[in-house]
Structures are given as structure tokens and as C-alpha cells.
Amino acid sequence: MSRWGFLFDQTRCVGCNACQMACKDKNNLELGQFFRRVVTYETVKDGKTFCVNYSGACNHCKDAACVKGCPTGAMHYREDGTVAHDDEKCIGCATCVWVCPYGAPSLSHKRGIALKCTSCADLRSEGRNPACVDACIMHCLEFVDLDELDAESEKRMVRELPFLPEASLTDPSLRILPKRGE
């Protein structure tokens, strides 16, 4: 079985929020609700302060806390390894919101259920990219079969950053080309 996930090239991201807004528009999200967020972090390396941008969404974790915590099975795995949500099974208990270390699921106040990034499964079933990937003007995002990454690419990428939870908690389907100290 393949394991699909996001690649994020932090060296290219300018923090424009195009991916965040494309996701919001595509999913018709209510005010204050986001499946993808772009955040700028201030960090220090070798005594020098600099800023880095991070575009984060559901990491479709291999050992997803939301799937383990969901009492109804609304959060579940798709055949491609991504984490999906069944609106019909969701009771709006918010357990998935509380247990996800990445803050990916959120409650819809209008619908009374949890919602999250689907990695645009509908678009992908048509052979297209997720909306966030196509919207990125700097080509920072890709959605790929992580099992097909070559060894050289894997060496340059990381699975966590200082401001993210430890990857060992959920085994996120995320690879990051980190921005090194400027």
C-alpha cells in the first residue's frame, strides 16, 4: 500500500498564504476555520535571529491520534494511507480536535461536526493536485507517494522542525526541506 503525504520546501516559502486561501476557498470554510495555515516563526541559529515560514495542514499520520481517539470511526484511513473523515459518523464530540498534536481537525460551528483536510481526495481522484499545491506560487508544496522518494531526497529532508511536535508521536506523512540558518 502506498503512503501519500505532503512535501514542504521551506527554502522557497515566502509566506504569501496562497495555499491557505486556496484551501479555504475550495472547502468553503466558515469564518475563522482553516485546514491549512501559514505561520511565520522567529528562530535563532548560531546567535543569529531569522524568520522561517511554515505551511501546515493535516499530516495524514501513519499512527494518527485522531483515528485512535475517534469513538465512532468517523476518522479513518483511506487506501492511500491518508486520514479521512466520515461526516455521517461524526457526533461532534471534538476528541479528534483535542488529541491531534498538530491542531488539524476543527469543529464546524454551523454543522456541529469535526472537519479536516482531505488532501483534496476529490481532486486527486480526477488525477489533479490538492488545491493548496496548485495555488503555491513558489512551488513549495507537493503531494506525493512517500514510498517512492529516492534515498538522496530523503537525506535532505526532515520530518519535524523545532516548533512542531515530535514525529515519533504520530509518524506524520510529511517531509520538509528545511531552511537552514541565514
Side-chain angles (χ1 to χ4, degrees):
M1 175 169 78
S2 297
R3 182 174 177 195
W4 286 80
F6 285 103
L7 296 181
F8 173 61
D9 186 344
Q10 191 176 40
T11 67
R12 293 176 173 230
C13 185
V14 295
C16 71
N17 291 44
C19 57
Q20 178 177 304
M21 296 315 296
C23 174
K24 188 169 181 68
D25 288 346
K26 193 256 180 231
N27 292 291
N28 196 28
L29 299 176
E30 55 199 73
L31 186 64
Q33 188 172 35
F34 298 91
F35 290 168
R36 176 167 291 283
R37 289 185 183 270
V38 177
V39 181
T40 302
Y41 291 94
E42 187 176 351
T43 188
V44 176
K45 184 170 183 173
D46 299 327
K48 185 176 179 184
T49 303
F50 62 99
C51 292
V52 295
N53 299 307
Y54 177 71
S55 174
C58 176
N59 291 323
H60 301 282
C61 302
K62 186 175 183 179
D63 190 23
C66 63
V67 172
K68 289 195 289 191
C70 182
T72 66
M75 291 289 188
H76 63 280
Y77 295 103
R78 293 173 40 101
E79 286 183 23
D80 63 4
T82 60
V83 176
H85 180 263
D86 184 337
D87 293 359
E88 300 299 317
K89 289 183 178 178
C90 184
I91 58 174
C93 69
T95 301
C96 57
V97 176
W98 299 330
V99 299
C100 175
Y102 297 98
S106 61
L107 283 179
S108 167
H109 299 291
K110 289 180 182 175
R111 297 180 58 197
I113 60 171
L115 298 173
K116 63 172 278 311
C117 164
T118 65
S119 65
C120 293
D122 57 334
L123 295 178
R124 290 188 301 111
S125 71
E126 299 170 0
R128 298 167 57 196
N129 287 322
C132 59
V133 171
D134 281 348
C136 182
I137 62 170
M138 298 302 292
H139 308 288
C140 303
L141 289 171
E142 292 181 62
F143 195 74
V144 301
D145 184 341
L146 297 174
D147 295 333
E148 292 184 6
L149 288 177
D150 60 58
E152 191 57 39
S153 294
E154 281 280 1
K155 282 187 215 174
R156 297 179 325 184
M157 295 182 187
V158 297
R159 297 178 58 219
E160 58 189 48
L161 295 169
F163 47 82
L164 294 177
E166 290 183 27
S168 62
L169 294 174
T170 61
D171 194 4
S173 297
L174 169 70
R175 300 297 182 272
I176 305 160
L177 183 60
K179 187 169 188 172
R180 304 294 179 196
E182 297 177 340

